[in-house]
Amino acid sequence: MKIPVLEIFGPTIQGEGAVIGRKTMFVRTAGCDFKCDWCDSKFTWDGSAKDDIEMLTADIIFERLQQLAPNNFNHVTISGGNPALIKNIAALVELLHAHNIEVALETQGSKFQPWMTEIDQLTLSPKPPSSKMQQDINQLDFVINQLEYNKVSLKIVIFNDDDYKFAQMIHHRYPNIKFYLQVGNPYLDETVNDHTEKLLARYEALIDKVMQDNTMNDCYVLPQLHTLLWSNKKGV
């Protein structure tokens, strides 16, 4: 019952979604069924880090987490790639809960695993047009219908007007689910100057757009917090 793991790191803060700012540990799994054009974790699926993948049991993952931060965390974020591809994560979620540790997960809503019903904070992040991926809305409906609304939030990354229209559609399709907009980060090149200032300008522009839109009164507008602090640095 092993899990393909690329990174285990922390403690750090969660930079996105409903638990933004939360102190957390990260377990990043390998593999994704999408290949988003602006993905900031392409190494999880493009083969460039295939030699770094470790097949680990839940016990070993927990041991690694404790080695990094002994008794210094009570929250773990499972990230990817797309962790929802992996059946064996059930054992990890169960083990973390046995130690009174909350578990968060982000996935695009393209796959469902029964263990996802046990996640404490589950972010579904359907991919907008700028990703150049085709989100299956019927499959998203199916995934959402398996879950408890009070544990689920929706998050859309916004790069352009088409993404914003997509976000409006998603929000109005699921009006009873907490909804987050997050400004996209197009500056993945490490040589970009004034990275934080550029991202803040994009964030302000998105805020201005939402403030003038009476169809989006019930949403939260977020930055990608860790990129404001650490740019595109890995392991934080």
Side-chain angles (χ1 to χ4, degrees), residues 88-128:
N88 295 340
I89 288 177
L92 177 60
V93 175
E94 183 178 348
L95 179 60
L96 292 170
H97 281 165
H99 288 84
N100 297 315
I101 296 168
E102 291 185 15
V103 186
L105 172 79
E106 179 169 326
T107 176
Q108 60 261 40
S110 60
K111 303 290 181 182
F112 174 75
Q113 300 288 349
W115 56 260
M116 289 165 60
T117 63
E118 302 302 318
I119 296 296
D120 299 291
Q121 298 105 20
L122 175 55
T123 299
L124 297 176
S125 185
K127 303 310 176 191

Side-chain angles (χ1 to χ4, degrees), residues 215-226:
T215 73
M216 299 289 267
N217 290 345
D218 207 17
C219 73
Y220 300 78
V221 188
L222 301 179
Q224 201 177 29
L225 186 57
H226 57 286

Side-chain angles (χ1 to χ4, degrees), residues 57-212:
T57 63
D59 288 337
I60 294 298
I61 293 171
F62 184 73
E63 183 179 312
R64 296 268 187 96
L65 290 166
Q66 286 291 356
Q67 287 171 351
L68 283 170
N71 300 312
N72 190 27
F73 66 95
N74 65 1
H75 192 273
V76 170
T77 299
I78 301 173
S79 184
N82 184 8
L85 296 173
I86 305 166
K87 294 180 180 179
N88 295 340
I89 288 177
L92 177 60
V93 175
E94 183 178 348
L95 179 60
L96 292 170
H97 281 165
H99 288 84
N100 297 315
I101 296 168
E102 291 185 15
V103 186
L105 172 79
E106 179 169 326
T107 176
Q108 60 261 40
S110 60
K111 303 290 181 182
F112 174 75
Q113 300 288 349
W115 56 260
M116 289 165 60
T117 63
E118 302 302 318
I119 296 296
D120 299 291
Q121 298 105 20
L122 175 55
T123 299
L124 297 176
S125 185
K127 303 310 176 191
S130 64
S131 70
K132 297 184 181 176
M133 292 290 104
Q134 187 66 44
Q135 185 79 41
D136 185 337
I137 300 300
N138 291 328
Q139 176 64 12
L140 181 62
D141 286 343
F142 170 78
V143 172
I144 286 175
N145 287 335
Q146 311 309 306
L147 303 167
E148 297 178 39
Y149 279 16
N150 64 332
K151 291 185 177 181
V152 179
S153 61
L154 283 158
K155 185 194 78 180
I156 309 293
V157 178
I158 305 296
F159 283 85
N160 56 40
D161 288 344
D162 286 341
D163 291 353
Y164 190 82
K165 291 174 185 175
F166 176 83
Q168 288 175 311
M169 181 274 290
I170 293 292
H171 182 36
H172 302 147
R173 189 179 185 91
Y174 312 105
N176 297 318
I177 298 179
K178 251 185 187 178
F179 189 75
Y180 296 82
L181 297 180
Q182 179 180 293
V183 67
N185 172 21
Y187 311 116
L188 300 181
D189 186 341
E190 293 290 348
T191 65
V192 172
N193 294 321
D194 302 321
H195 189 253
T196 297
E197 289 76 11
K198 286 182 168 69
L199 286 177
L200 284 172
R202 291 177 63 87
Y203 180 42
E204 184 176 9
L206 180 58
I207 289 173
D208 288 344
K209 192 175 187 69
V210 173
M211 295 308 104
Q212 298 171 38

